[in-house]
Amino acid sequence: MRTTEAIRISCVIMRGGTSKGVFVKEADMPAARERRDKAILALFGTPDVRQIDGLGGADVLTSKLAMIGPPSRDDADVDYTFVQVGIANATLDYNGNCGNISAAVGPYAIEEGLVRAVEPVTVVRIHNTNTGKVLTAHVPIVNGHPAVEGDDVVAGVPGTGAGIFLDYSETAGAVTGALLPTGQPLDELEVAGVGTVPVTLSDVANPVVYVLADDVGMVGTESPDEIDGNAGLKERLERIRCQAAVALGMVDVCERATLECSLFPLLTVVQRPMAYVAYGAGEKVAEDDVDVIVRMQALQQTHKAYAGTGTANLGATAMLPGTLVNRMTSERAIESGTLRFGHPSGVSLVEAGVEKTEGEWTVARVGYTRTARRIMEGYAFVPTSRLRALDASPA
């Protein structure tokens, strides 16, 4: 392809946890924000429900970009900017982080020579520019490279892999500045067309609004297809999420939330432990195998597993007395500090602990393990005609 017809962008496709994303170096992207955003949309083939003319996978879990660069602060090894790329709509959401994609940042940084590999484990301090917080990845190393093979299982990912432990202990107040943005574990939202809804608003790694399954007309064990096929339920959940965005100060009116805060806050429906059948694999999950059951909304779609940042948030919130998650969580998990949570793809674990300091709850520890691997490296070609077309559009 002639260079006059396309710009060439060096990129790597990586899987992190249950997500897959395009990784690029900050230096390889256009410096001007507007031009860079247009390049990202063209790179993914957005807007188009199939993203047929780009690298997007036409799913919320595979339409993600990670931009990596040198650290802008002394306590980090790399800067990492996460972008949730719209599919049918030409939207880019920079409002928060993706915890599954975060699992791939450490291996990417090591393989690209941004961080020196140290055996047996390399600690990579990752500054997430979206939230201004630093998370720590513990990456296993074999023969000078990030390990791929291992015995760790991630529900929703075929096979096994080398576990990467992600420490989110320093990420409370990632977007709002507070672990409990309203100062209390339980709030009531007045939601147009829905009524008064009890919620918990929590901010660890990313802001999340929690609702009880019973309060939104759910059992709590529904599959993603069952939830997404219920238009009335989806509308209620999105209205609650949008009102939560107002309560968190992310937008001033609900009507702006769907476009300006399309991904965050995440919305999670919680239910006490019960038996269910995991989506896809058909695995039977017994009541005794879980401490709480969750279903998450992301970009108005039901997450087929569970978000990584949501995992950190869920773990911390489960340990906070008085929250809806705490009320639904087994005593075993609260006492042990290890939460087994059931989601559509199976069961995952998160370690968490909170403590009260000078009358305020703080996160003492929270972290989880994910696997990640490099899938492809090379160049993507973005037609200059796409950029010209975008230049002429108001988006």
Side-chain angles (χ1 to χ4, degrees):
M1 180 176 288
R2 298 194 304 272
T3 56
T4 56
E5 295 180 343
I7 61 171
R8 190 175 73 164
I9 298 175
S10 177
C11 65
V12 174
I13 293 179
M14 297 199 69
R15 178 186 62 76
T18 55
S19 291
K20 186 166 60 178
V22 178
F23 279 61
V24 296
K25 290 182 181 177
E26 183 179 5
D28 292 336
M29 298 296 289
R33 170 69 178 267
E34 182 180 6
R35 192 70 180 173
R36 185 183 71 206
D37 285 356
K38 291 176 179 178
I40 293 172
L41 290 171
L43 181 67
F44 277 76
T46 294
D48 173 43
V49 292
R50 291 195 298 154
Q51 293 179 319
I52 194 65
D53 201 34
L55 295 179
D59 187 280
V60 65
L61 302 185
T62 57
S63 192
K64 300 169 182 279
L65 179 132
M67 186 169 64
I68 314 298
S72 59
R73 46 192 285 179
D74 293 338
D75 59 348
D77 298 306
V78 293
D79 274 4
Y80 150 54
T81 301
F82 169 70
V83 186
Q84 181 71 54
V85 183
I87 299 172
N89 299 312
T91 58
L92 300 175
D93 197 329
Y94 286 85
N95 287 306
N97 183 19
C98 173
N100 279 297
I101 290 296
S102 295
V105 174
Y108 174 86
I110 294 168
E111 292 184 307
E112 293 295 318
L114 300 173
V115 175
R116 185 173 66 88
V118 177
E119 296 192 33
V121 175
T122 297
V123 176
V124 183
R125 301 167 301 172
I126 302 166
H127 170 219
N128 175 240
T129 65
N130 306 77
T131 61
K133 298 293 184 178
V134 174
L135 58 118
T136 305
H138 298 256
V139 183
I141 303 296
V142 176
N143 296 325
H145 296 278
V148 174
E149 303 295 339
D151 298 325
D152 285 271
V153 176
V154 176
V157 179
T160 63
I164 299 167
F165 184 75
L166 297 170
D167 184 348
Y168 276 84
S169 300
E170 302 298 322
T171 64
V175 173
T176 66
L179 170 59
L180 293 172
T182 66
Q184 51 196 24
L186 186 64
D187 289 282
E188 290 188 343
L189 296 181
E190 294 297 330
V191 183
V194 179
T196 303
V197 182
V199 301
T200 289
L201 300 169
S202 178
D203 187 2
V204 178
N206 273 322
V208 179
V209 51
Y210 294 96
V211 296
L212 295 180
D214 293 345
D215 290 338
V216 293
M218 288 177 59
V219 175
T221 59
E222 291 87 344
S223 72
D225 288 343
E226 289 176 310
I227 298 171
D228 292 343
N230 187 331
L233 172 60
K234 292 293 294 298
E235 183 179 356
R236 290 196 299 276
L237 295 177
E238 179 61 7
R239 288 191 178 196
I240 295 168
R241 194 193 71 82
C242 289
Q243 190 62 53
V246 175
L248 291 167
M250 300 178 72
V251 291
D252 53 3
V253 292
C254 287
E255 291 72 19
R256 295 174 55 187
T258 296
L259 287 178
E260 297 184 22
C261 302
S262 57
L263 182 60
F264 304 106
L266 297 165
L267 181 142
T268 292
V269 179
V270 294
Q271 179 59 282
R272 62 179 48 85
M274 61 176 65
Y276 72 98
V277 177
Y279 167 83
E283 172 192 355
K284 293 183 178 180
V285 178
E287 179 178 332
D288 290 342
D289 291 338
V290 293
D291 300 302
V292 69
I293 292 174
V294 290
R295 296 293 185 267
M296 173 178 281
Q297 290 289 297
L299 290 182
Q300 299 181 60
Q301 295 180 24
T302 304
H303 202 297
K304 293 178 177 61
Y306 202 74
T309 54
T311 297
N313 192 301
L314 180 71
T317 306
M319 303 302 155
L320 287 170
T323 67
L324 294 180
V325 187
N326 181 266
R327 294 181 184 182
M328 295 293 106
T329 297
S330 72
E331 287 296 327
R332 186 213 65 81
I334 294 171
E335 292 174 1
S336 69
T338 299
L339 180 73
R340 305 167 303 170
F341 61 96
H343 53 75
S345 291
V347 180
S348 295
L349 302 178
V350 57
E351 300 175 14
V354 297
E355 57 189 20
K356 220 167 192 179
T357 305
E358 298 180 354
E360 297 288 336
W361 285 106
T362 59
V363 177
R365 62 186 181 88
V366 64
Y368 57 87
T369 297
R370 289 289 187 270
T371 62
R373 78 175 186 91
R374 196 179 188 95
I375 295 175
M376 187 281 298
E377 61 181 20
Y379 296 97
F381 294 89
V382 174
T384 53
S385 59
R386 266 307 291 282
L387 297 181
R388 285 197 300 271
L390 289 168
D391 284 336
S393 73

